[in-house]
Amino acid sequence: MPILVTNEGTTLQDAIVACRELPKAARKIVLDEGNHFVDKTVRLGPLDSGLVIEGRRDSKLYGGRRITQWEPKNETLWRAKLPEVKEGTWDFRMLMVNDRYAERAHFPQEGFLIHETDFDVTWKSTYEGGFERQPTYEELTTLKFKPVDIPSSLEPKNAELTVFHMWDESLVGVKQIDWETHTITFSNPAGWPPGAFAKYYQFDKRYIVWNTEEGLQQPGQWYLNRAEGELVYWPKEGEDMTQVAIYAPVLENVLVLEGDTDHTVEDIELRNFTVSLANAPLMSGAFGAKLFDGAIALRKVKSCTLQQLTIKNIGAHGIKADGDHVTIESCHVSNAGAGAIRITGSQAKIHNNYIHDIGKTFPSAIALYVGATDPNVPEEWEAGRSYSDCVISHNELHDVPYAAICAGGKNLIIEKNLIYRAMQNLYDGAGIYITFCTNAVVRNNFIRDIKDAPGAGTSAYYLDEKAIDCLVEGNVEINVPRASHNHIGKNNTFRNNFFFMKEKGRFSMERSEGYVFEKNIVVTGIGFEFYDPATCARFENNILFPGNGKLIGKTLNKYEIVKEFELPLVNGNTDSNPLIAEFEKGKIRFAPNSPAHDLGIQEIDVSDAGRIS
C-alpha cells in the first residue's frame, strides 16, 4: 500500500524515511489533494532509489509561505511588515497572488531606458575566447545614466537593474548612485560590461529599473521595500485584502534528487502534482540563465522520470537536471523567473511538454535547454562534448524572451515541436538553436511568428559555432524574417524545408563551409537575401520566390559584406511562384502545376507538431 501524505497526518519527509525500510518495488508515496508547504528542501538520495511520488487530484507542493497581516499604507497601497527583509535574511524576486505570477514594480512600464556606457572592445567568438581583452571589475560594475531617467527619490537599497546585452542580460543590485557623474555602481558584477556588443551590432543600450516605489504604477504590482522591511502591494479591482492569498518563496529548491560521490539516484518517478514557489538569488545567470537552480533539481541521477507535473510561479528554473536516461514528459511549466527545463546528460527524452511565459526575471532564459554549450567553462565543456542521443519531440513552446530550444552534444533529434513568439526581448538566438554539436537532426518542426531584431538577429533555426554534420529537413517556418542564421558551422544540410516571410527574407551563413542547400521553398513578400552562397558546396533545386523584390547574394569576409549581386538561377534553382495550395496550418500542399513536383520537393505536414493529447 502506498503511504498517504496529508496536511494533518504524515508529512512528506516522514513518508520518505518510512519508504527506505520497504523493498524498492513497494516504495510509493501519494500526496493527498490540497496544499502541502515545506519549509526545508525535500531531498532524495541513493537510499531512495525506486521511489514513486504521485499526486492525487489537485495536490500542490509549495516552497514558500503565505504573507498575512496586511494593513493599508495609503489610499491605494497595502503593506505587510516583514522584519526578516529589513534584517537582510529574506529576499525574493517573485510573488504569487491568487495563483497568479504577480508583476514586480518596474520602470519604464513599456519599453526600456537607454544608458550611456560604452564598451568598445571587439568580440571574436565564444570558442576563440570572447573579447579581445577582459573587462575590468569597474567596467562590470558601473553604468552611466541620463539624468532625466532616474528620479532623485530612488532608494538604492531597493532598486535592481536588468542590463540587456545581446544574447543575455545581467540582473544587478544598486550599491550607490553618484548624482554628480550620473553613475550607478552595482552591488554585484554584471555578466558583461554595460554597452558590450552595442556599437558593433548597432543596437540600443537598454536597461530596466525594478523593485522601487517609482515603478509601482498600476494595480497588481508589488515591490519589496528592503529599507523599511515591508512588502508593498497594489490590489487589483475586486481583490479583498482580507481574503487575498499572497505567497512568497522561501526555498531555492523545493525538491532535490541528488547522488553522492559513489552512487547515483536511480529509478525515481515524480508525477501528477504541482510545484510552486521557489526563490532566485540576485546574480547574473550567464548564457541561458544556466547558473540558476531549479524548483526541482536532479543531480547525479539515472533513469528518473518526471511526468504530468505542473511547475509554475517560481523564481528561477522549473526543472534543472544532470544525469543519464532522464525522461521529462507531459509536464506544464509556466511563469518562471528563468527557464522551464535545463538538462545535461545523455539519452534524455523530453516529450510532449507545454512551456510558456518564462524568463520573467531573467529574460536570457532558454525555455528548453539540453546539453552543455560553453567552451569557456572547461569542466562544463569537456563533459558536454560527450552528451549524446537526446530526443526533444512534440513539445509546445511560446512567449519566451530568448531561444525556445537550445541544444548541444552528439546525435540529437529535435522533431515535431511547435514554437511561436520566441525571441521576444533578446538577440542572437532562434526558435531552435544548436551549437557545439555533431550529427543533429532537426526535422518536422513548426516555427512561426518571431519578430526581427538587429545584430545577429532572431531566426527560426540557428546553427552556431561548431555545429557539424547536422541535418535540417522537412520543417515549416512562417513569418520569421530570418529563416536561418549559421555561424562557424561545417557540412550541414538544409533540405526540403518551407520558409514563408511576409516582407523581406534573409538566410545567413558566416564563417561556415561545406553546406548543402537543396529542395527548399522560400516565399517572401519583397525580396530575399542570401549571405553567403560561397559557403555552400551544393546549392540546387530550390524555389526562391522573392515576391515583389529581388534575389540578392552577398559575399562575406568573416562578418563584412564585400560584394553584393543578383543571385544566379543555376543548378535547378528557380524564382518561379511555387503555387502553394495550402500552408498556414503547417500542412504544405502544392497545386498540380507547381514547379515543386519537377524538382522533387516533397509536400510537408507538420500540422501535428506540438503536444499530443
Side-chain angles (χ1 to χ4, degrees):
M1 291 289 292
I3 298 175
L4 180 65
V5 173
T6 67
N7 286 315
E8 300 176 353
T10 303
T11 67
L12 179 55
Q13 194 59 56
D14 290 340
I16 290 169
V17 172
C19 280
R20 291 171 183 163
E21 304 299 321
L22 300 175
K24 286 187 178 181
R27 295 178 176 179
K28 184 174 182 180
I29 296 170
V30 173
L31 290 177
D32 200 5
E33 62 182 321
N35 299 337
H36 300 265
F37 292 88
V38 291
D39 55 10
K40 293 183 180 179
T41 299
V42 178
R43 297 186 179 275
L44 304 175
L47 290 175
D48 302 302
S49 291
L51 177 65
V52 175
I53 301 179
E54 181 176 84
R56 174 188 287 179
R57 293 184 290 275
D58 189 24
S59 53
K60 301 182 178 72
L61 196 60
Y62 286 160
R65 75 186 205 206
R66 186 168 181 174
I67 308 296
T68 57
Q69 296 182 325
W70 289 93
E71 61 183 24
K73 183 177 175 70
N74 55 36
E75 292 183 357
T76 302
L77 306 179
W78 287 67
R79 66 182 176 186
K81 290 291 186 180
L82 303 174
E84 310 99 308
V85 168
K86 190 168 185 177
E87 294 162 5
T89 58
W90 191 22
D91 195 27
F92 49 88
R93 284 164 189 85
M94 65 82 53
L95 195 71
M96 186 171 77
V97 179
N98 288 344
D99 207 36
R100 162 176 62 86
Y101 192 107
E103 185 178 28
R104 199 180 188 203
H106 63 282
F107 68 86
Q109 291 289 290
E110 300 290 338
F112 309 91
L113 300 173
I114 306 300
H115 65 79
E116 298 187 321
T117 314
D118 292 320
F119 183 74
D120 191 13
V121 178
T122 299
W123 174 263
K124 295 183 291 185
S125 71
T126 301
Y127 89 96
E128 290 170 326
F131 289 114
E132 286 187 341
R133 72 161 176 86
Q134 293 302 307
T136 66
Y137 186 80
E138 181 180 359
E139 289 170 326
L140 291 169
T141 55
T142 55
L143 175 146
K144 289 190 176 296
F145 61 90
K146 299 175 182 177
V148 69
D149 288 341
I150 304 297
S152 59
S153 60
L154 187 136
E155 169 56 61
K157 190 172 183 179
N158 294 333
E160 297 174 6
L161 310 182
T162 293
V163 182
F164 291 87
H165 309 302
M166 187 159 64
W167 57 78
D168 62 3
E169 89 297 323
S170 297
L171 182 70
V172 295
V174 176
K175 182 178 181 180
Q176 64 183 33
I177 301 175
D178 187 324
W179 296 101
E180 291 185 3
T181 63
H182 309 122
T183 301
I184 295 174
T185 301
F186 307 154
S187 61
N188 58 295
W192 307 109
F197 311 104
K199 183 176 180 180
Y200 183 84
Y201 290 101
Q202 298 180 335
F203 56 77
D204 292 331
K205 296 178 289 187
R206 305 174 297 161
Y207 74 108
I208 292 175
V209 181
W210 297 94
N211 198 59
T212 68
E213 183 177 5
E214 294 80 5
L216 200 63
Q217 298 182 27
Q218 60 185 10
Q221 294 182 332
W222 65 278
Y223 81 100
L224 190 61
N225 188 342
R226 301 185 184 100
E228 301 296 329
E230 62 184 16
L231 175 63
V232 180
Y233 179 66
W234 185 347
K236 286 193 167 189
E237 185 177 354
E239 285 183 337
D240 180 353
M241 289 301 293
T242 65
Q243 301 295 323
V244 68
I246 299 182
Y247 298 89
V250 174
L251 305 175
E252 194 169 335
N253 312 108
V254 180
L255 265 170
V256 172
L257 287 61
E258 186 168 21
D260 56 31
T261 304
D262 300 315
H263 304 91
T264 57
V265 179
E266 300 184 8
D267 302 312
I268 287 181
E269 296 183 31
L270 308 175
R271 58 187 186 227
N272 196 35
F273 57 90
T274 295
V275 173
S276 294
L277 297 175
N279 217 343
L282 175 64
M283 68 178 191
S284 296
F287 176 71
K290 67 181 181 181
L291 299 181
F292 293 102
D293 216 335
I296 300 177
L298 286 69
R299 307 164 188 153
K300 292 187 177 180
V301 303
K302 183 178 180 181
S303 301
C304 292
T305 298
L306 282 64
Q307 189 175 59
Q308 292 182 304
L309 299 176
T310 297
I311 305 170
K312 63 180 181 179
N313 299 331
I314 50 174
H317 292 302
I319 300 167
K320 188 173 184 179
D322 174 40
D324 297 333
H325 298 275
V326 173
T327 296
I328 302 173
E329 185 172 30
S330 300
C331 295
H332 183 184
V333 188
S334 65
N335 291 311
I341 299 170
R342 173 170 166 77
I343 180 167
T344 54
S346 295
Q347 296 179 289
K349 177 184 177 183
I350 302 96
H351 176 73
N352 203 41
N353 300 289
Y354 184 32
I355 297 169
H356 60 95
D357 294 287
I358 58 95
K360 295 284 191 177
T361 306
F362 309 101
S364 61
I366 293 164
L368 174 51
Y369 187 2
V370 178
T373 58
D374 190 347
N376 294 314
V377 183
E379 63 274 18
E380 178 185 305
W381 171 233
E382 289 303 318
R385 293 173 65 181
S386 66
Y387 299 148
S388 66
D389 300 290
C390 295
V391 178
I392 304 168
S393 62
H394 278 288
N395 302 285
E396 180 177 350
L397 309 98
H398 67 87
D399 291 287
V400 299
Y402 186 49
I405 295 175
C406 174
K410 297 185 290 188
N411 305 329
L412 285 161
I413 296 178
I414 304 174
E415 62 182 356
K416 290 285 185 177
N417 299 286
L418 173 61
I419 297 168
Y420 49 102
R421 294 194 299 274
M423 300 299 303
Q424 293 289 290
N425 289 337
L426 290 165
Y427 314 143
D428 197 20
I432 296 176
Y433 173 98
I434 58 175
T435 183
F436 297 101
C437 58
T438 56
N439 197 35
V441 176
V442 180
R443 66 187 175 207
N444 302 135
N445 300 285
F446 188 8
I447 302 179
R448 57 180 171 84
D449 302 327
I450 296 178
K451 62 185 180 182
D452 203 1
T458 55
S459 51
Y461 313 95
Y462 190 162
L463 280 60
D464 203 0
E465 300 177 27
K466 299 299 182 180
I468 300 171
D469 297 326
C470 300
L471 173 65
V472 181
E473 182 175 40
N475 302 282
V476 174
E477 173 262 294
I478 296 176
N479 195 27
V480 186
R482 186 178 299 206
S484 178
H485 182 54
N486 300 263
H487 178 229
I488 317 182
K490 184 177 180 181
N491 300 341
N492 300 311
T493 297
F494 281 78
R495 179 186 299 131
N496 214 118
N497 301 285
F498 177 81
F499 304 109
F500 174 82
M501 307 148 200
K502 291 181 179 179
E503 298 181 354
K504 181 179 287 187
R506 185 193 305 181
F507 196 106
S508 50
M509 296 181 180
E510 297 173 341
R511 301 178 62 186
S512 299
E513 60 179 303
Y515 269 67
V516 173
F517 192 82
E518 63 181 7
K519 298 184 179 180
N520 300 287
I521 295 180
V522 177
V523 177
T524 75
I526 51 173
F528 180 66
E529 299 176 337
F530 199 101
Y531 308 56
D532 173 356
T535 60
C536 292
R538 195 161 74 243
F539 189 92
E540 60 189 27
N541 297 332
N542 300 288
I543 299 177
L544 309 172
F545 181 60
N548 296 320
K550 295 182 178 180
L551 297 176
I552 301 296
K554 298 191 178 186
T555 301
L556 302 177
N557 178 13
K558 286 195 172 180
Y559 306 111
E560 301 296 330
I561 300 171
V562 296
K563 183 181 178 181
E564 184 172 319
F565 54 94
E566 285 201 31
L567 201 64
L569 295 172
V570 296
N571 300 321
N573 296 306
T574 177
D575 61 356
S576 300
N577 189 325
L579 301 176
I580 304 295
E582 181 182 1
F583 75 92
E584 290 188 353
K585 295 183 179 180
K587 182 181 291 186
I588 312 302
R589 293 291 177 261
F590 307 140
N593 56 338
S594 168
H597 299 297
D598 293 334
L599 293 173
I601 300 174
Q602 302 297 311
E603 293 181 326
I604 308 171
D605 187 356
V606 296
S607 59
D608 62 340
R611 290 177 292 160
I612 303 169
S613 62

